[in-house]
Amino acid sequence: MIEEKNLTPVGKFQKTHALKGELNAVLDIDDEYFADGHPLVINMEGAFVPFYAESVRGKGSASSLIKLEGIDSSDEARQLVNSIIYADKESLKEYMAEEGEGVFLEDDLIGFRVADENAGNLGVVVRVDTTTSNTLFIVENSEGDEIFIPVADDFILEIDETKREILTHLPEELINLNQKSK
């Protein structure tokens, strides 16, 4: 049985494509991961079900067309539209390491201290929100305020796994946006 704690969200099926069961997917990882035989895991009524790609091809710079084994019509594919696509965390880490890419995932950063180069210590990452199109670190400071930090190269300068620290460069407005009124 596949458990949610062993999975990480890596994309979403947006819509069907053509008549033979292809799905348009937006992925946060290289689509070659699925082309290489790793399963796409979908939450189907509370159970995590693995699907394997019969074919994967890029569609522009932002999406991929994926044909899943056993999904052979647009009606069958339509049932998966808007589904979050998950990958096994450990398998993905190993694959990324083999490809020379970073070897940690956003969920691995829970508990890391966040410091801004101008504002100093901001707090600790308490969770990662992947429910919106922009992944967010939810950082809690010593007063219990939450700061929402977009996981973006523009804001994150360095992640030090040894020190368990994330160094940022954030606009002051972003830091103050979600703090409670004094």
Side-chain angles (χ1 to χ4, degrees):
M1 177 176 208
I2 300 173
E3 295 183 43
E4 186 173 11
K5 68 180 181 179
N6 298 326
L7 301 173
T8 189
V10 295
K12 184 176 184 177
F13 286 125
Q14 297 290 327
K15 60 185 177 180
T16 61
H17 178 79
L19 302 174
K20 302 213 179 201
E22 276 188 309
L23 288 149
N24 188 335
V26 175
L27 300 172
D28 298 330
I29 62 171
D30 186 351
D31 61 12
E32 286 297 314
Y33 176 77
F34 299 117
D36 286 347
H38 296 92
L40 298 90
V41 180
I42 308 296
N43 185 342
M44 309 271 307
E45 299 178 11
F48 290 94
V49 178
F51 289 87
Y52 291 88
E54 189 174 296
S55 67
V56 178
R57 58 190 172 108
K59 181 183 179 204
S61 62
S63 63
S64 300
L65 295 175
I66 301 175
K67 167 72 174 77
L68 299 174
E69 293 177 0
I71 305 295
D72 298 315
S73 71
S74 60
D75 287 337
E76 292 172 325
R78 195 170 292 113
Q79 295 176 23
L80 298 175
V81 170
N82 292 322
S83 293
I84 302 293
I85 302 167
Y86 296 89
D88 178 76
K89 285 181 183 180
E90 291 306 313
S91 174
L92 183 59
K93 281 183 181 180
E94 289 173 18
Y95 181 83
M96 289 167 53
E98 289 170 9
E99 297 298 310
E101 298 178 21
V103 293
F104 58 88
L105 307 172
E106 285 92 355
D107 286 354
D108 295 335
L109 299 174
I110 292 174
F112 274 52
R113 188 172 70 82
V114 179
D116 185 77
E117 67 179 357
N118 295 319
N121 184 31
L122 298 178
V124 175
V125 177
V126 291
R127 66 183 188 281
V128 179
D129 183 346
T130 59
T131 60
T132 64
S133 59
N134 297 317
T135 300
L136 300 169
F137 288 138
I138 312 302
V139 176
E140 188 173 295
N141 67 17
S142 59
E143 290 86 38
D145 295 334
E146 288 186 339
I147 303 168
F148 296 77
I149 300 175
V151 179
D153 291 339
D154 291 347
F155 299 135
I156 299 174
L157 299 176
E158 179 183 352
I159 298 175
D160 187 327
E161 287 186 86
T162 305
K163 293 181 181 177
R164 295 185 49 81
E165 181 177 89
I166 301 169
L167 180 62
T168 65
H169 177 76
L170 301 172
E172 185 177 337
E173 299 81 23
L174 184 63
I175 295 170
N176 296 328
L177 183 63
N178 297 106
Q179 291 184 336
K180 297 174 186 163
S181 301
K182 302 293 181 212

